[in-house]
Amino acid sequence: MPGKPEVLFVCVHNAGRSQMAAALLDHYAEGRVMVRSAGSAPADTVNPAVVQVMREIGLDLSREFPKPLTTEAVQAADVVITMGCGDACPVFPGKRYLDWELDDPAGKSVDDVRPIRDEIGRRVRALLAELLPAGS
């Protein structure tokens, strides 16, 4: 990937998993990766339990909002990571697609969302190590 890699996280409502993944990758990448998130059927607001568990680790999602998935966002991305959006995500040749099977935080308590956040964090750090190998 020449230049700054671009990653798009997609879930159905863009209110939980994809918001956490985008915030975590943006945080860990420290500006070295362009990060976006979107939903195939965006909700009205980000899940309050998600906002709370992210605040616990110093990341503020209170001003974030669910965004619709667009063809342009997929075309701009080098890596598209889906999290339960099914067939709603358009597929373009030359893109790297990953599907992360993760529990949906919708309707879950803060205690139940923390392990989802932590698993997303683990996967995001592994992705970052692939995108920006040490010494690059």
Side-chain angles (χ1 to χ4, degrees):
M1 273 171 257
K4 188 186 285 194
E6 295 195 29
V7 177
L8 173 64
F9 292 100
V10 183
C11 65
V12 176
H13 300 298
N14 190 223
R17 295 166 289 190
S18 56
Q19 290 280 353
M20 287 190 283
L24 287 162
L25 181 55
D26 188 57
H27 173 71
Y28 293 133
E30 299 175 327
R32 297 173 294 162
V33 176
M34 171 63 92
V35 183
R36 292 188 178 95
S37 70
S40 53
D44 293 328
T45 60
V46 175
N47 180 327
V50 166
V51 173
Q52 184 172 338
V53 301
M54 295 302 283
R55 184 179 301 124
E56 291 173 357
I57 60 168
L59 299 176
D60 183 7
L61 295 186
S62 65
R63 292 192 179 110
E64 293 298 327
F65 58 92
K67 294 164 261 331
L69 178 63
T70 65
T71 301
E72 295 77 21
V74 177
Q75 287 175 319
D78 297 301
V79 181
V80 179
I81 299 175
T82 59
M83 304 171 174
C85 74
D87 296 333
C89 192
V91 175
F92 292 98
K95 303 290 175 197
R96 179 177 175 200
Y97 289 88
L98 300 171
D99 184 45
W100 289 357
E101 289 192 27
L102 297 157
D103 287 339
D104 187 345
K108 292 192 176 359
S109 71
V110 168
D111 288 338
D112 291 332
V113 175
R114 282 187 195 107
I116 300 169
R117 174 202 63 200
D118 295 344
E119 176 60 17
I120 291 170
R122 185 188 68 72
R123 293 180 190 204
V124 159
R125 286 188 297 275
L127 175 67
L128 185 59
E130 291 175 29
L131 294 174
L132 303 172
S136 66

